[in-house]
Amino acid sequence: MDGLPPSSRVRTALNGGRTEPTPEAVLLADVFDMLQRVDWHIVATNVDKKANLPKTPKPYPRWWLKAPAAKGKGEDRVARLEAARARKRARTEAIAAGLIA
């Protein structure tokens, strides 16, 4: 696996369906964040009033990092998904029976 490129199907499958970033992508994301931060610092130091400070820049989206966990966790989320599926099945059956136009 060490000899495979980061975008190979094997590495993607082992990484949960996400391609691994190349070293260049990681470096470019870091450089982009640094340049945004420097630009923000320059603007923030040249503003007359502190009330008009610009918002801090958002970091470059790093798709290779794990996504934040969903709000609903565990059994509660599973129960809500099952209830939604049951409602969909009931609606589909009602449409098929001609009860709902």
Side-chain angles (χ1 to χ4, degrees), residues 5-81:
S7 61
S8 71
R9 290 184 181 183
V10 172
R11 288 182 104 169
T12 301
L14 292 174
N15 198 23
R18 281 183 271 153
T19 58
E20 292 182 6
T22 60
E24 293 85 9
V26 174
L27 182 63
L28 284 173
D30 291 340
V31 169
F32 182 82
D33 285 345
M34 186 229 17
L35 287 174
Q36 274 193 316
R37 195 71 158 170
V38 167
D39 185 42
W40 178 82
H41 277 287
I42 291 171
V43 171
T45 55
N46 292 320
V47 170
D48 290 335
K49 297 180 181 179
K50 299 231 179 215
N52 293 332
L53 282 177
K55 293 181 180 179
T56 56
K58 292 182 180 179
Y60 186 81
R62 286 163 170 80
W63 47 266
W64 54 87
L65 298 178
K66 291 187 177 187
K71 290 182 182 178
K73 292 184 180 178
E75 295 175 5
D76 181 43
R77 183 171 184 265
V78 172
R80 285 186 287 129
L81 285 172

Side-chain angles (χ1 to χ4, degrees), residues 84 87 99:
R87 287 192 306 270
L99 300 175

